[in-house]
Amino acid sequence: MDLNIDKVIDDIKKDNNIFSAGKVIKVNEYNVEVSGLIDVAFYDEVDIAGKAKGYVFAIHPNKVIVSLTEVEDKIMPGDLVYSLNKEYKCLFSIDSIGKVVDIFGNDLIAGKKFNNLIEVSIDGLDIPLMDRTSVERSLLTGISGIDLMYPIGRGQRQLIIGDKKTGKTQICLDTIVNQKDKNVICIYVAIGKTKKEVKEIYYDLTKNGAISYTIVMASFNDELPTKSYLTPYVALSVAEELMLQSFDVLVIVDDLKKHADIYRQISLTSNKVPGRDAYPSDIFYAHARMLEKGCQHKSGGSVTILPIVETKAGDITDYISTNIISITDGQIVLSKKNFDKGLKPAINYGLSVSRLGAAVQSKELSKVGSKLRRELLAYLDVKDIYELSDPSELSPALKESIDRGNKMINDLKQYKYSPKSESEMQTLFSYVERVEKEG
Amino acid sequence: MEVGKIISIFEISVEVVVSDNTIKIGDVLEAVDNSKYRFEVIEITNTTALCISLNSTRGLKKGTIVKKVDDGLKMEYSDALMGRIFDAYGEVLDNKEFKSIKKKFINNSTVSMKDLNVESSMLKTGIKVIDFFAPMQKGFKMGLLGGAGVGKTVLIKELIYNLYNTSKINSIFVGIGERSREGKELYDDIVSSNLLDNMTMVFGQMSKNPVVRSKCVQTGLVAAEYLRDEKKGDVLLFIDNIYRYIQARSEISMELKEMLVGNGYPSSTAAEVSKIEERLSSTKDGTITSFQAIYIPADDYNDDAVQNVVSYMDGQIVLDRHIAELGIYPAIDVFKSTSRLVDKDKIGERHFKLVEETLRYLTRYQELEEIIAVLGIDELSDEDKNIFHRSRKLRYYFSQPLHVSEQFTNIKGEYVELEDVLNDVENILNGTYDNVDEKEFFYIGKYNAH
């Protein structure tokens, strides 16, 4: 690959290849306008005077817009621009497992580039409809509130949504930790997070023995927005590649609200017409094509995605949240109120949904789970009506069902990094089934 | 025939300098050196043609020579389309041999007033809440509205199960901008129950670019029109989901730098929708009955695009998040769900009265809920207590075990006759079931008194 660049640049210097060269005519933070570059294709990689890299984002009759992905030095008007005559790709090394990396093949903890890099295309073709098979193998989180009532299967996309500080990331980390010895490769994608947050996550995963099968792919809030925008696509391309080799992969995308905001920022500076809430009209497509990489493939491999969305004041009906809910196969909604009450994980059992349900659960788990969910929701509904009533006046049956509801709520509490096995969950909630039989 | 050269390239559009002035709007162009790159002409001047790209433009070189390959996009128009699955451009997806017999342009015209037929017979769905509150008639357009994740697709699947699987009436399923997983699972389900023979499926799922998504509804319409006009029969058309069509059109408009109006929709939304909906009409040859899922963005029922589509519907079923939150599925808001048939002359006095009375009870129930939140249930008058408890029974009664959600509920799905629904509702309202616990009505078909 490096040979190719040298040859192209050499050619340009010798004036053998003037069609692949151009000059910068306008620069802003994320884009440059280039004149020349006659022989260029859409999405080609370009190099700007050795100072920066980017890809062709739009081709006009007399100019080319280049989106910048890496900038090392200040770009000036008049700088020479070379097209490398190949599709823009990011870099990845299989040694990334157990490391914190970025999309350019850097090992961020060691502070150096890997030396066995391969190219991954960003956001390539979609997975053909007919290559998908049904999602039916379970991916256990070890959290009884999820595995029993809102189960996740390999190849499913399950959204984790809630306000700040409600334990969204924690649920994902718990899930990663619970994949130990289960032959799942995990990729944690950080979008525009702080370096401190990412390092803490890395330490947490290390402490819990989960880093040996996990890649942390990060972009930080002080980097170019284009990089943060591209990071989840690259992570999912890597995941897709592994899936095609029959691996099971779990990808955490933390978080898509940030991603949407970054995409809005880029779109508005590139003069795209804003739509609802000033997001560009194709924001749905931007997320849909990313999350559609999650699937059970006919090769036997799968990509499971847990995207995270941060909400404000518990409102899951805003534009971005509903967009993503309409893409994913279900959602785990976290409630600030439950969190403050100490009911952790702070799942809102009414609003959470799994669209795959028992299809991805063992028979035993689904038997307990579906009854637990029905009882719990009926209890939450009744609770409000009789909250003001005198307990001594309630019928014994009603009183018992309220007591049982309280017990269920209590038994669903679970501390972080303390996963339960399937049989532990079954035993813990076996009373739900017993009562129903008697009744 | 070479017709020009590409001079500008964007994500989903290109501009061509034309060397041939016979190019028309709607023509299909193709790169001479690579058939992967295909374009549809949407605007022409003396010297240039603006085209939308049917596939990704990635890797397309400036200066590429293009040729004209067709006068427009086409879809199969013969019996060969039965039992097959197509993409938005009318290509088969199932990797089986396909011999094209006769094709037709996908941009067909609408039905004239002369040919339009509005009379027809009632169509029962076996879903209690639909048959009761929003009864269907052959040739109706029924909108299934709902925000994200409240059960539109499940309802569409149940309708396919109840209407298509039992009657095997010729059907078309058009998947627009929805999940690929669900599309494939629906296909697998139908194949494994050997029901594909009378079904044609067209998919342009959410992983596809907006051009694909916007074209697939027209492609599906050609199939429906074939069954109506050539086979002279009734057709069921399931569209999941028509909002995605408008959304895809908005994305294309944005790429073309058109001026967008409120919430990012193009000003031509109403015209675009009418081009689709007016084609879905019944004639003397046959009826097209359609069920169209309509996504409500950001739970905003008054969204322009949603209201635009709804205005063409003969009936609507509205799904509500608050009801879903209570675990009652299908999570239908009975106050907003109705159809043109809800009229004394059309469904009969008994049914009509029961609907009115049920709505009166449920309206009062909502008021009572607020009173209870403040005063507690003990403070209600006896009459209000009756209304409160009976309404809760009604609310639970309108949940239903569906065939397609057996995997969530672990309860066997049921088809319920309208007559049974009317009897049960009558008995709940007149107090016959006052001593029955409300949970007895949860997830049942018809009520069997012990």
Side-chain angles (χ1 to χ4, degrees):
Chain A
M1 180 202 74
D2 280 338
L3 269 175
N4 182 21
I5 299 178
D6 288 343
K7 192 179 165 297
V8 172
I9 295 175
D10 231 40
D11 272 359
I12 290 167
K13 284 192 177 142
K14 289 183 197 141
D15 278 354
N16 282 345
N17 189 357
I18 46 161
F19 295 122
S20 295
K23 276 204 169 77
V24 173
I25 48 178
K26 188 173 159 188
V27 193
N28 72 24
E29 211 176 330
Y30 333 117
N31 293 331
V32 293
E33 270 182 41
V34 182
S35 67
L37 280 182
I38 292 165
D39 184 30
V40 75
F42 193 71
Y43 233 79
D44 264 2
E45 180 169 351
V46 297
D47 182 291
I48 299 160
K51 297 172 181 172
K53 275 185 187 158
Y55 59 89
V56 174
F57 174 71
I59 301 174
H60 293 273
N62 47 14
K63 67 182 181 196
V64 171
I65 313 287
V66 172
S67 249
L68 298 171
T69 53
E70 281 175 280
V71 179
E72 274 157 25
D73 204 351
K74 291 253 183 288
I75 302 169
M76 305 295 288
D79 278 351
L80 204 53
V81 181
Y82 325 112
S83 159
L84 303 182
N85 288 325
K86 66 172 195 64
E87 185 190 328
Y88 183 82
K89 286 187 175 170
C90 287
L91 298 170
F92 176 76
S93 158
I94 198 64
D95 295 339
S96 301
I97 295 180
K99 306 270 163 51
V100 180
V101 301
D102 69 4
I103 55 172
F104 306 125
N106 293 308
D107 177 343
L108 299 176
I109 301 274
K112 60 174 203 295
K113 244 189 171 67
F114 291 102
N115 40 29
N116 54 346
L117 292 166
I118 47 164
E119 291 190 325
V120 271
S121 87
I122 310 155
D123 181 19
L125 293 173
D126 65 325
I127 298 159
L129 193 73
M130 298 311 263
D131 287 355
R132 295 164 183 263
T133 57
S134 42
V135 176
E136 47 199 19
R137 295 177 301 143
S138 63
L139 184 129
L140 294 168
T141 61
I143 298 169
S144 38
I146 296 177
D147 290 347
L148 279 169
M149 291 184 280
Y150 307 100
I152 300 172
R154 295 187 182 197
Q156 184 171 345
R157 293 80 44 91
Q158 183 83 347
L159 168 66
I160 314 287
I161 182 167
D163 283 2
K164 250 187 199 14
K165 296 277 160 242
T166 48
K168 298 182 296 296
T169 305
Q170 191 55 51
I171 283 186
C172 297
L173 295 179
D174 270 318
T175 309
I176 294 182
V177 168
N178 200 43
Q179 302 314 311
K180 192 180 281 173
D181 305 325
K182 292 195 179 122
N183 286 324
V184 177
I185 299 173
C186 301
I187 306 179
Y188 175 87
V189 183
I191 302 169
K193 292 231 164 233
T194 63
K195 295 190 180 91
K196 192 174 156 197
E197 282 170 319
V198 173
K199 200 152 191 181
E200 268 168 3
I201 285 164
Y202 173 71
Y203 280 150
D204 253 21
L205 290 173
T206 311
K207 246 189 298 179
N208 288 286
I211 201 71
S212 58
Y213 53 86
T214 305
I215 301 165
V216 178
M217 194 175 271
S219 70
F220 303 111
N221 52 3
D222 58 349
E223 292 177 321
L224 271 182
T226 337
K227 183 179 172 189
S228 295
Y229 167 69
L230 291 177
T231 300
Y233 294 104
V234 176
L236 282 159
S237 290
V238 170
E240 184 185 353
E241 204 49 54
L242 292 167
M243 172 183 80
L244 294 176
Q245 298 167 28
S246 308
F247 285 102
D248 286 320
V249 189
L250 167 69
V251 183
I252 315 285
V253 184
D254 194 358
D255 72 305
L256 280 182
K257 176 78 166 99
K258 184 69 111 336
H259 187 260
D261 290 349
I262 289 167
Y263 185 48
R264 173 168 66 183
Q265 183 188 352
I266 297 171
S267 296
L268 291 176
T269 35
S270 347
N271 290 324
K272 282 200 186 179
V273 192
R276 190 183 271 269
D277 293 350
Y279 291 101
S281 296
D282 64 350
I283 185 73
F284 172 77
Y285 178 44
H287 288 153
R289 64 178 197 262
M290 177 198 299
L291 296 175
E292 283 280 276
K293 297 271 177 192
C295 88
Q296 170 67 53
H297 196 265
K298 64 179 183 188
S299 70
S302 68
V303 174
T304 310
I305 312 178
L306 301 182
I308 294 177
V309 166
E310 187 178 297
T311 53
K312 276 185 192 143
D315 180 17
I316 64 160
T317 62
D318 70 278
Y319 183 45
I320 297 300
S321 306
T322 47
N323 263 351
I324 295 167
I325 290 172
S326 71
I327 300 167
T328 54
D329 304 310
Q331 72 267 6
I332 306 289
V333 181
L334 299 177
S335 125
K336 182 88 175 91
K337 203 164 133 198
N338 286 351
F339 191 85
D340 292 343
K341 277 187 191 163
L343 302 173
K344 293 176 206 170
I347 301 171
N348 177 329
Y349 294 100
L351 286 174
S352 300
V353 170
S354 165
R355 270 170 238 254
L356 288 154
V360 298
Q361 257 176 331
S362 68
K363 266 216 170 71
E364 296 75 30
L365 222 50
S366 117
K367 240 170 150 181
V368 182
S370 60
K371 280 177 185 150
L372 177 64
R373 173 156 196 259
R374 227 175 312 137
E375 281 245 349
L376 188 70
L377 293 187
Y379 158 75
L380 291 173
D381 180 30
V382 168
K383 194 185 80 172
D384 294 338
I385 299 173
Y386 294 101
E387 201 147 45
L388 292 169
S389 301
D390 180 354
S392 62
E393 283 177 13
L394 295 178
S395 72
L398 194 59
K399 193 162 175 305
E400 205 212 305
S401 102
I402 289 183
D403 287 345
R404 203 165 60 238
N406 281 328
K407 183 170 161 49
M408 286 189 271
I409 292 280
N410 224 8
D411 287 343
L412 285 167
K413 279 195 214 167
Q414 209 170 323
Y415 196 64
K416 65 177 179 179
Y417 302 126
S418 50
K420 287 195 169 68
S421 71
E422 279 187 87
S423 59
E424 279 172 320
M425 291 177 197
Q426 253 166 269
T427 324
L428 182 58
F429 291 97
S430 53
Y431 60 90
V432 180
E433 221 179 338
R434 221 166 31 237
V435 168
E436 193 131 318
K437 267 185 201 142
E438 283 160 14
Chain B
M1 182 181 64
E2 288 179 10
V3 291
K5 194 167 140 183
I6 290 175
I7 48 162
S8 54
I9 307 169
F10 306 96
E11 189 88 40
I12 55 166
S13 65
V14 299
E15 203 179 350
V16 178
V17 173
V18 289
S19 53
D20 181 315
N21 57 9
T22 59
I23 295 285
K24 301 182 301 299
I25 285 179
D27 282 355
V28 180
L29 310 182
E30 188 181 290
V32 283
D33 54 353
N34 193 341
S35 62
K36 177 173 101 175
Y37 301 113
R38 290 205 298 157
F39 317 96
E40 187 191 38
V41 178
I42 57 163
E43 192 183 296
I44 35 180
T45 68
N46 269 344
T47 51
T48 62
L50 182 64
C51 310
I52 49 175
S53 176
L54 301 183
N55 299 313
S56 168
T57 54
R58 199 170 287 190
L60 178 63
K61 263 200 155 64
K62 190 175 179 179
T64 301
I65 309 283
V66 292
K67 60 180 181 191
K68 176 171 158 178
V69 288
D70 213 336
D71 288 331
L73 289 166
K74 285 177 179 164
M75 168 68 182
E76 188 58 35
Y77 197 71
S78 73
D79 268 2
L81 59 79
M82 305 298 289
R84 302 305 293 269
I85 170 170
F86 296 88
D87 72 6
Y89 304 136
E91 307 286 335
V92 277
L93 285 174
D94 51 18
N95 305 325
K96 289 184 213 139
E97 200 197 342
F98 184 69
K99 232 167 102 196
S100 175
I101 297 172
K102 194 179 166 198
K103 288 201 164 194
K104 198 167 183 184
F105 291 119
I106 66 166
N107 296 318
N108 206 350
S109 57
T110 56
V111 173
S112 73
M113 198 152 172
K114 174 172 75 78
D115 296 332
L116 196 68
N117 183 11
V118 290
E119 288 292 310
S120 198
S121 56
M122 189 163 168
L123 182 76
K124 303 222 174 75
T125 65
I127 298 171
K128 293 191 274 189
V129 66
I130 296 183
D131 287 346
F132 187 74
F133 288 103
M136 279 292 285
Q137 175 180 305
K138 274 188 185 167
F140 263 19
K141 291 178 186 148
M142 179 65 84
L144 305 170
L145 292 91
V150 291
K152 289 182 300 299
T153 299
V154 170
L155 206 53
I156 284 268
K157 280 173 84 176
E158 182 73 4
L159 286 164
I160 293 175
Y161 189 97
N162 280 0
L163 292 171
Y164 171 71
N165 291 16
T166 49
S167 67
K168 291 202 75 183
I169 185 171
N170 290 330
S171 298
I172 318 282
F173 178 89
V174 184
I176 316 172
E178 284 298 301
R179 303 177 188 89
S180 304
R181 176 189 61 76
E182 283 175 346
K184 183 63 186 348
E185 279 174 9
L186 179 65
Y187 174 76
D188 287 345
D189 281 354
I190 290 178
V191 170
S192 67
S193 35
N194 271 324
L195 289 162
L196 195 63
D197 303 0
N198 294 27
M199 172 75 89
T200 301
M201 300 178 108
V202 181
F203 283 107
Q205 296 302 71
M206 58 166 71
S207 53
K208 296 287 186 185
N209 78 38
V211 184
V212 174
R213 280 177 278 139
S214 74
K215 291 293 177 204
C216 74
V217 63
Q218 278 132 309
T219 306
L221 288 185
V222 175
E225 284 161 350
Y226 169 73
L227 295 172
R228 180 191 64 196
D229 300 343
E230 302 289 316
K231 302 284 278 184
K232 308 216 184 291
D234 292 338
V235 189
L236 289 177
L237 174 67
F238 301 95
I239 302 179
D240 190 9
N241 146 347
I242 194 74
Y243 173 81
R244 302 290 180 210
Y245 165 74
I246 302 172
Q247 187 175 41
R249 297 292 318 176
S250 313
E251 287 171 40
I252 295 171
S253 296
M254 180 189 76
E255 278 293 328
L256 299 176
K257 307 258 178 224
E258 284 171 17
M259 179 70 101
L260 302 180
V261 292
N263 288 333
Y265 299 114
S267 53
S268 58
T269 304
E272 299 288 352
V273 173
S274 72
K275 272 186 219 157
I276 301 296
E277 295 295 344
E278 288 293 340
R279 278 172 74 177
L280 292 173
S281 302
S282 302
T283 66
K284 60 179 191 323
D285 293 332
T287 59
I288 298 183
T289 308
S290 62
F291 291 92
Q292 308 183 26
I294 305 169
Y295 172 74
I296 303 183
D299 276 14
D300 176 6
Y301 180 71
N302 294 319
D303 182 88
D304 283 347
V306 173
Q307 286 305 321
N308 237 314
V309 183
V310 166
S311 63
Y312 289 94
M313 298 293 136
D314 298 297
Q316 59 176 40
I317 306 285
V318 179
L319 298 163
D320 187 277
R321 193 174 301 280
H322 300 290
I323 298 169
E325 200 176 343
L326 298 169
I328 298 175
Y329 287 96
I332 287 170
D333 178 346
V334 298
F335 299 106
K336 289 196 186 122
S337 302
T338 185
S339 84
R340 272 188 222 274
L341 272 194
V342 184
D343 184 303
K344 223 185 267 181
D345 301 334
K346 289 181 178 150
I347 52 172
E349 182 156 2
R350 180 179 179 223
H351 187 170
F352 183 74
K353 279 244 164 85
L354 286 173
V355 172
E356 272 199 325
E357 189 67 358
T358 304
L359 289 177
R360 188 177 74 85
Y361 266 60
L362 293 173
T363 312
R364 181 67 184 150
Y365 173 76
Q366 287 191 328
E367 293 166 1
L368 293 177
E369 260 191 329
E370 285 165 28
I371 298 174
I372 289 170
V374 183
L375 296 173
I377 190 164
D378 303 330
E379 302 298 317
L380 298 185
S381 73
D382 283 348
E383 198 203 332
D384 279 343
K385 267 189 195 158
N386 274 340
I387 292 185
F388 182 79
H389 288 295
R390 287 175 195 166
S391 300
R392 285 181 65 83
K393 279 170 200 163
L394 283 170
R395 207 180 61 171
Y396 279 134
Y397 179 72
F398 283 115
S399 67
Q400 186 170 342
L402 303 180
H403 297 97
V404 295
S405 53
E406 281 168 11
Q407 55 168 328
F408 308 102
T409 55
N410 276 329
I411 309 175
K412 216 172 150 8
E414 289 199 51
Y415 181 103
V416 188
E417 294 294 342
L418 176 63
E419 197 48 37
D420 292 326
V421 181
L422 297 181
N423 289 336
D424 288 340
V425 171
E426 196 162 42
N427 283 327
I428 293 174
L429 287 173
N430 66 22
T432 311
Y433 294 152
D434 274 1
N435 292 322
V436 183
D437 187 74
E438 61 184 29
K439 276 195 187 157
E440 299 255 332
F441 294 97
F442 205 16
Y443 285 109
I444 56 164
K446 68 171 186 180
Y447 180 70
N448 294 309
H450 298 302

Tab-separated table of all heavy atoms in Angstrom, chain B residues 296-319:
chain	number	residue	atom	x	y	z
B	296	ILE	N	-45.088	6.915	13.132
B	296	ILE	CA	-45.265	8.275	13.636
B	296	ILE	C	-43.936	8.755	14.208
B	296	ILE	O	-43.520	8.281	15.259
B	296	ILE	CB	-46.353	8.328	14.721
B	296	ILE	CG1	-47.673	7.781	14.166
B	296	ILE	CG2	-46.528	9.743	15.239
B	296	ILE	CD1	-48.817	7.851	15.140
B	297	PRO	N	-43.246	9.651	13.518
B	297	PRO	CA	-41.937	10.072	13.997
B	297	PRO	C	-42.073	10.862	15.289
B	297	PRO	O	-42.997	11.664	15.435
B	297	PRO	CB	-41.390	10.938	12.860
B	297	PRO	CG	-42.594	11.413	12.128
B	297	PRO	CD	-43.642	10.355	12.280
B	298	ALA	N	-41.168	10.598	16.218
B	298	ALA	CA	-41.122	11.320	17.491
B	298	ALA	C	-42.484	11.335	18.197
B	298	ALA	O	-42.802	12.285	18.902
B	298	ALA	CB	-40.579	12.741	17.289
B	299	ASP	N	-43.292	10.290	17.977
B	299	ASP	CA	-44.626	10.177	18.574
B	299	ASP	C	-45.479	11.415	18.306
B	299	ASP	O	-46.364	11.754	19.079
B	299	ASP	CB	-44.544	9.929	20.090
B	299	ASP	CG	-44.340	8.448	20.387
B	299	ASP	OD1	-43.999	7.708	19.443
B	299	ASP	OD2	-44.519	8.027	21.541
B	300	ASP	N	-45.216	12.091	17.189
B	300	ASP	CA	-45.916	13.323	16.863
B	300	ASP	C	-47.021	12.998	15.864
B	300	ASP	O	-46.803	12.946	14.654
B	300	ASP	CB	-44.904	14.322	16.276
B	300	ASP	CG	-45.560	15.612	15.821
B	300	ASP	OD1	-46.775	15.789	16.048
B	300	ASP	OD2	-44.842	16.439	15.232
B	301	TYR	N	-48.224	12.763	16.391
B	301	TYR	CA	-49.362	12.333	15.583
B	301	TYR	C	-49.726	13.378	14.534
B	301	TYR	O	-50.276	13.068	13.490
B	301	TYR	CB	-50.537	12.056	16.530
B	301	TYR	CG	-51.799	11.604	15.855
B	301	TYR	CD1	-51.892	10.333	15.290
B	301	TYR	CD2	-52.914	12.431	15.808
B	301	TYR	CE1	-53.047	9.907	14.680
B	301	TYR	CE2	-54.083	12.014	15.202
B	301	TYR	CZ	-54.146	10.754	14.630
B	301	TYR	OH	-55.298	10.327	14.022
B	302	ASN	N	-49.392	14.632	14.811
B	302	ASN	CA	-49.749	15.697	13.881
B	302	ASN	C	-48.684	15.991	12.838
B	302	ASN	O	-48.768	16.980	12.118
B	302	ASN	CB	-50.068	16.979	14.658
B	302	ASN	CG	-51.305	16.796	15.496
B	302	ASN	OD1	-52.275	16.203	15.048
B	302	ASN	ND2	-51.260	17.253	16.738
B	303	ASP	N	-47.687	15.107	12.784
B	303	ASP	CA	-46.634	15.262	11.794
B	303	ASP	C	-47.237	15.410	10.384
B	303	ASP	O	-48.183	14.712	10.030
B	303	ASP	CB	-45.734	14.033	11.855
B	303	ASP	CG	-44.577	14.098	10.893
B	303	ASP	OD1	-43.545	14.649	11.280
B	303	ASP	OD2	-44.710	13.611	9.761
B	304	ASP	N	-46.667	16.314	9.579
B	304	ASP	CA	-47.199	16.594	8.238
B	304	ASP	C	-47.334	15.344	7.378
B	304	ASP	O	-48.356	15.116	6.737
B	304	ASP	CB	-46.263	17.564	7.495
B	304	ASP	CG	-46.439	18.970	7.982
B	304	ASP	OD1	-47.440	19.215	8.684
B	304	ASP	OD2	-45.581	19.817	7.672
B	305	ALA	N	-46.261	14.571	7.360
B	305	ALA	CA	-46.255	13.400	6.477
B	305	ALA	C	-47.327	12.409	6.920
B	305	ALA	O	-48.054	11.854	6.093
B	305	ALA	CB	-44.884	12.736	6.522
B	306	VAL	N	-47.444	12.213	8.228
B	306	VAL	CA	-48.427	11.269	8.755
B	306	VAL	C	-49.830	11.723	8.379
B	306	VAL	O	-50.627	10.958	7.821
B	306	VAL	CB	-48.297	11.159	10.293
B	306	VAL	CG1	-49.426	10.326	10.865
B	306	VAL	CG2	-46.946	10.575	10.666
B	307	GLN	N	-50.127	12.981	8.620
B	307	GLN	CA	-51.463	13.494	8.338
B	307	GLN	C	-51.790	13.439	6.850
B	307	GLN	O	-52.923	13.198	6.457
B	307	GLN	CB	-51.611	14.918	8.880
B	307	GLN	CG	-51.746	14.962	10.389
B	307	GLN	CD	-52.888	14.100	10.891
B	307	GLN	OE1	-53.949	14.022	10.307
B	307	GLN	NE2	-52.668	13.386	12.001
B	308	ASN	N	-50.764	13.642	6.044
B	308	ASN	CA	-50.930	13.563	4.611
B	308	ASN	C	-51.401	12.195	4.158
B	308	ASN	O	-52.317	12.068	3.352
B	308	ASN	CB	-49.570	13.836	3.960
B	308	ASN	CG	-49.657	14.981	3.026
B	308	ASN	OD1	-50.586	15.049	2.242
B	308	ASN	ND2	-48.708	15.887	3.115
B	309	VAL	N	-50.760	11.147	4.697
B	309	VAL	CA	-51.132	9.788	4.308
B	309	VAL	C	-52.502	9.445	4.882
B	309	VAL	O	-53.349	8.858	4.204
B	309	VAL	CB	-50.088	8.774	4.806
B	309	VAL	CG1	-50.442	7.383	4.323
B	309	VAL	CG2	-48.713	9.139	4.316
B	310	VAL	N	-52.713	9.846	6.136
B	310	VAL	CA	-53.954	9.481	6.820
B	310	VAL	C	-55.173	10.000	6.059
B	310	VAL	O	-56.212	9.350	6.020
B	310	VAL	CB	-53.932	10.018	8.269
B	310	VAL	CG1	-55.313	9.968	8.876
B	310	VAL	CG2	-52.973	9.201	9.106
B	311	SER	N	-55.017	11.135	5.406
B	311	SER	CA	-56.176	11.704	4.724
B	311	SER	C	-56.681	10.808	3.593
B	311	SER	O	-57.789	10.979	3.118
B	311	SER	CB	-55.848	13.103	4.204
B	311	SER	OG	-54.822	13.005	3.256
B	312	TYR	N	-55.887	9.842	3.152
B	312	TYR	CA	-56.333	8.920	2.105
B	312	TYR	C	-56.961	7.651	2.665
B	312	TYR	O	-57.487	6.834	1.925
B	312	TYR	CB	-55.150	8.503	1.215
B	312	TYR	CG	-54.675	9.620	0.343
B	312	TYR	CD1	-53.637	10.452	0.746
B	312	TYR	CD2	-55.281	9.857	-0.888
B	312	TYR	CE1	-53.213	11.499	-0.045
B	312	TYR	CE2	-54.861	10.903	-1.684
B	312	TYR	CZ	-53.835	11.719	-1.261
B	312	TYR	OH	-53.420	12.743	-2.053
B	313	MET	N	-56.888	7.482	3.971
B	313	MET	CA	-57.304	6.209	4.556
B	313	MET	C	-58.816	6.162	4.767
B	313	MET	O	-59.444	7.156	5.104
B	313	MET	CB	-56.605	5.998	5.896
B	313	MET	CG	-55.097	5.910	5.795
B	313	MET	SD	-54.574	4.443	4.918
B	313	MET	CE	-53.322	5.139	3.864
B	314	ASP	N	-59.378	4.943	4.605
B	314	ASP	CA	-60.794	4.755	4.902
B	314	ASP	C	-60.990	4.395	6.368
B	314	ASP	O	-62.100	4.394	6.874
B	314	ASP	CB	-61.365	3.629	4.048
B	314	ASP	CG	-61.270	3.949	2.572
B	314	ASP	OD1	-61.898	4.923	2.155
B	314	ASP	OD2	-60.551	3.247	1.858
B	315	GLY	N	-59.911	4.037	6.995
B	315	GLY	CA	-59.994	3.705	8.401
B	315	GLY	C	-58.610	3.786	9.004
B	315	GLY	O	-57.616	3.796	8.276
B	316	GLN	N	-58.537	3.889	10.305
B	316	GLN	CA	-57.221	3.941	10.926
B	316	GLN	C	-57.232	3.239	12.273
B	316	GLN	O	-58.211	3.272	13.003
B	316	GLN	CB	-56.758	5.379	11.080
B	316	GLN	CG	-57.702	6.235	11.928
B	316	GLN	CD	-57.154	7.625	12.147
B	316	GLN	OE1	-56.599	8.212	11.238
B	316	GLN	NE2	-57.309	8.150	13.343
B	317	ILE	N	-56.119	2.582	12.537
B	317	ILE	CA	-55.900	1.941	13.825
B	317	ILE	C	-54.709	2.676	14.418
B	317	ILE	O	-53.658	2.738	13.786
B	317	ILE	CB	-55.482	0.468	13.639
B	317	ILE	CG1	-56.480	-0.282	12.774
B	317	ILE	CG2	-55.264	-0.198	14.975
B	317	ILE	CD1	-57.745	-0.606	13.458
B	318	VAL	N	-54.877	3.258	15.590
B	318	VAL	CA	-53.762	3.994	16.175
B	318	VAL	C	-53.221	3.209	17.365
B	318	VAL	O	-53.970	2.828	18.263
B	318	VAL	CB	-54.189	5.409	16.609
B	318	VAL	CG1	-53.031	6.152	17.241
B	318	VAL	CG2	-54.730	6.182	15.425
B	319	LEU	N	-51.932	2.958	17.338
B	319	LEU	CA	-51.291	2.231	18.435
B	319	LEU	C	-50.679	3.233	19.397
B	319	LEU	O	-50.119	4.242	18.969
B	319	LEU	CB	-50.222	1.300	17.882
B	319	LEU	CG	-50.782	0.231	16.943
B	319	LEU	CD1	-49.679	-0.388	16.120
B	319	LEU	CD2	-51.511	-0.815	17.747
